[in-house]
Amino acid sequence: MALSKAQKTAVLVAIPVIFFLLPAPEGLSLIAWRLLGIYIATIVGLVIKPFGEPVLLLAAVAASAATIGNTEGAKELVKVSQTLSGYQSGTTWLIFTAFTLSSAFVITGLGKRIAYHLISWLGSTTLRLGYVSMFLDLLLSPATPSNTARAGGIVFPIMNSVAVALGSDPEKSPKLAGRYLMMNVYMSVKTTSYIFLTAMAPNALALELMSPILGIKLNWVEWFFAASVPGLLCLFIIPFICYIIAKPELKQVDNKAIAKKGLEELGPISFREKALAVLFVLALLGWIFADFLHVNATTIALITMVLCIVLSIVSWDDVRKNKAGWDTLIWYGGIIGMSSILEKAGFFKWLASSLESYLQFEGQGMLALMVILLLSVSVRYLFASGGAYVAAMVPVFATVGKVAGAPVELLALGLLFSNSYGGSVTHYGGGPGPITFGAGYNDIKSWWIAGAVVAFGSLIIHATLGLAWWEYLFGAGILPSVN
């Protein structure tokens, strides 16, 4: 029986009340214990969702500030103002500003135009259409931190219309082409989402939450270098895997006719599309050469957003209407701030010391790493939101892995990337899932089979080729060693 909104709210209120009534465990400060109760209530709220994420996090930030102000000795460990520290985070603003580029691809129609050109050039078979979908997703991913907007707003509508044009109907002929194309859209987006730092908003959140625990710090280029070899390998085999599992009955495609019709509907390329294409390339170059230019990725994103508005590619009204961007700014800044005050209050040090005596792998650090990564993928069956998974589990897995003796650098990268590909396991593992599955072409059995193959297959690739690649990057000084 589903809980009502009032019942869910009562659960969230009860959790911190219980923590307030119970004494703090030995070795943990009272303020850290009480803040933990608020944090746990927030995570539960992100899962059961009595309110939207921004409302939950604003309430949690307010409750945390009030708790600090009314707990004896609290201000010696953490200041009230630190509850808002997440809104000062450069990564929070990097993701928010990148949402402007994301919406610009939809508003101007440039995303669709690129897609139809790719279909014209490459989409002569159904398998090749799968690769067109993958390439389009990969091309757009650096500037679209909402993979729901990227897949749901650009890639899915195009592939869905292509399936219809090929005569594939969700009820009468799903296997003709639609089942394969829809499955491939989702499995691809869950892989492109970790190749770039800005390809999915929870990437930056995971990095921020992990930083005080493992000491890992990566810029945009370093993230791409780490993800590139295992990520691109996984990405390039996914369309073929989906093709085998959901083999389409239609093999040949009249791609020229489909592309011609789509481009005719779009009309001639506009100034806004041309300007957006130039800004997109400049933004990528800026992120790549940020160190050489002595600017950070957030500054480049802010400049790009301002230029998009000044050049009328998007208007300020468009920015204001970008609900996903503002929601992300509010709740990601809030969760980062809450994690920060928990760290300042000494919670993660206490957790690490408490777990150390129970987690003994007797010097088998690599075994500990494998166990943690396997759990990080397996537990995704329980989460319908990448953001909720990151907030709930990344600090825990990072702490457990560290005290168990797992190599810290490898643990950090493994967890950063498994967050995304782990969401492949189910049709509800991320925002694009309900959209693509909801088209009606797919059955749960084949979807979950494909998801398990993609998720655990990706884990195997990251645990073998990925580990070797990361060890090389750290050994060669290309990636910074953990402090």
Side-chain angles (χ1 to χ4, degrees):
M1 179 179 175
L3 295 176
S4 67
K5 184 175 181 179
Q7 290 172 323
K8 292 177 181 178
T9 304
V11 170
L12 299 192
V13 172
I15 293 172
V17 168
I18 292 171
F19 275 75
F20 271 64
L21 294 175
L22 294 176
E26 183 179 352
L28 184 65
S29 66
L30 181 61
I31 183 59
W33 175 245
R34 291 180 173 179
L35 290 173
L36 176 62
I38 297 172
Y39 189 83
I40 291 176
T42 304
I43 300 306
V44 172
L46 292 176
V47 175
I48 65 176
K49 295 182 178 179
F51 304 98
E53 289 94 341
V55 175
L56 288 168
L57 264 299
L58 286 176
V61 167
S64 298
T67 300
I68 294 169
N70 290 279
T71 301
E72 185 177 352
K75 293 181 181 179
E76 297 175 3
L77 296 173
V78 58
K79 295 179 174 61
V80 172
S81 60
Q82 289 173 332
T83 59
L84 299 173
S85 61
Y87 298 109
Q88 300 173 347
S89 168
T91 51
T92 300
W93 284 93
L94 169 64
I95 296 303
F96 170 72
T97 51
F99 269 97
T100 301
L101 269 178
S102 174
S103 63
F105 274 99
V106 177
I107 292 168
T108 63
L110 180 60
K112 286 185 177 181
R113 190 175 300 278
I114 293 171
Y116 284 122
H117 279 297
L118 287 174
I119 290 171
S120 177
W121 297 334
L122 302 173
S124 58
T125 67
T126 316
L127 177 59
R128 288 192 172 195
L129 281 176
Y131 278 94
V132 165
S133 173
M134 179 271 286
F135 278 123
L136 176 62
D137 200 338
L138 179 63
L139 181 62
L140 298 176
S141 59
T144 45
S146 170
N147 57 15
T148 303
R150 184 168 73 248
I154 298 176
V155 183
F156 165 75
I158 294 170
M159 288 297 113
N160 191 43
S161 64
V162 168
V164 172
L166 295 176
S168 188
D169 181 87
E171 294 184 2
K172 298 178 181 179
S173 52
K175 294 182 179 180
L176 192 64
R179 178 167 295 182
Y180 164 64
L181 293 176
M182 296 304 104
M183 178 186 291
N184 183 67
V185 167
Y186 182 68
M187 300 304 167
S188 295
V189 78
K190 295 305 291 180
T191 300
T192 59
S193 291
Y194 68 84
I195 293 178
F196 301 99
L197 172 62
T198 46
M200 185 176 72
N203 291 343
L205 177 62
L207 190 59
E208 285 282 335
L209 297 181
M210 200 180 289
S211 180
I213 302 170
L214 300 181
I216 185 75
K217 293 185 182 298
L218 297 173
N219 61 31
W220 194 89
V221 175
E222 290 163 349
W223 179 293
F224 172 70
F225 276 144
S228 60
V229 170
L232 291 174
L233 174 60
C234 292
L235 184 61
F236 277 90
I237 63 177
I238 280 174
F240 183 72
I241 290 174
C242 293
Y243 190 85
I244 296 299
I245 295 174
K247 196 162 189 175
E249 296 171 350
L250 182 67
K251 302 298 188 293
Q252 298 298 316
V253 176
D254 187 359
N255 58 310
K256 299 296 183 182
I258 293 173
K260 181 180 179 181
K261 180 181 178 182
L263 291 171
E264 285 177 350
E265 290 176 354
L266 289 173
I269 188 169
S270 65
F271 166 78
R272 294 198 304 165
E273 291 176 84
K274 293 177 182 177
L276 176 59
V278 172
L279 285 182
F280 176 53
V281 173
L282 290 177
L284 288 181
L285 292 174
W287 286 330
I288 292 169
F289 297 106
D291 290 342
F292 176 78
L293 297 172
H294 302 292
V295 294
N296 60 41
T298 304
T299 302
I300 293 166
L302 283 167
I303 292 171
T304 304
M305 183 180 80
V306 171
L307 288 174
C308 279
I309 297 170
V310 170
L311 295 173
S312 298
I313 297 171
V314 295
S315 66
W316 179 246
D317 281 341
D318 292 325
V319 176
R320 289 196 303 171
K321 293 174 184 175
N322 191 348
K323 179 178 177 292
W326 290 104
D327 283 354
T328 299
L329 175 67
I330 296 299
W331 89 270
Y332 273 47
I335 201 75
I336 290 171
M338 291 190 66
S339 176
S340 175
I341 59 177
L342 275 175
E343 190 269 332
K344 295 288 184 184
F347 168 71
F348 292 113
K349 288 183 179 178
W350 172 83
L351 179 62
S353 62
S354 300
L355 291 172
E356 198 165 8
S357 59
Y358 297 100
L359 295 170
Q360 298 293 333
F361 280 83
E362 299 179 354
Q364 298 295 318
M366 292 302 294
L367 175 61
L369 174 63
M370 295 299 108
V371 171
I372 295 296
L373 292 182
L374 178 61
L375 288 173
S376 75
V377 175
S378 301
V379 78
R380 285 308 307 274
Y381 281 102
L382 305 177
F383 287 88
S385 163
Y389 162 79
V390 167
M393 302 306 302
V394 162
V396 174
F397 282 139
T399 303
V400 169
K402 183 178 180 180
V403 300
V408 176
E409 291 94 344
L410 304 182
L411 172 67
L413 295 179
L415 288 175
L416 286 174
F417 304 145
S418 69
N419 160 48
S420 181
Y421 68 73
S424 303
V425 290
T426 68
H427 59 296
Y428 53 79
I435 297 173
T436 49
F437 187 83
Y441 288 98
N442 297 92
D443 62 289
I444 292 179
K445 180 181 178 181
S446 63
W447 190 284
W448 279 41
I449 290 172
V453 171
V454 169
F456 290 98
S458 296
L459 174 60
I460 291 171
I461 290 174
H462 283 73
T464 51
L465 176 64
L467 291 183
W469 173 241
W470 302 335
E471 288 178 337
Y472 164 74
L473 292 177
F474 283 112
I478 298 172
L479 294 184
S481 297
V482 170
N483 297 328

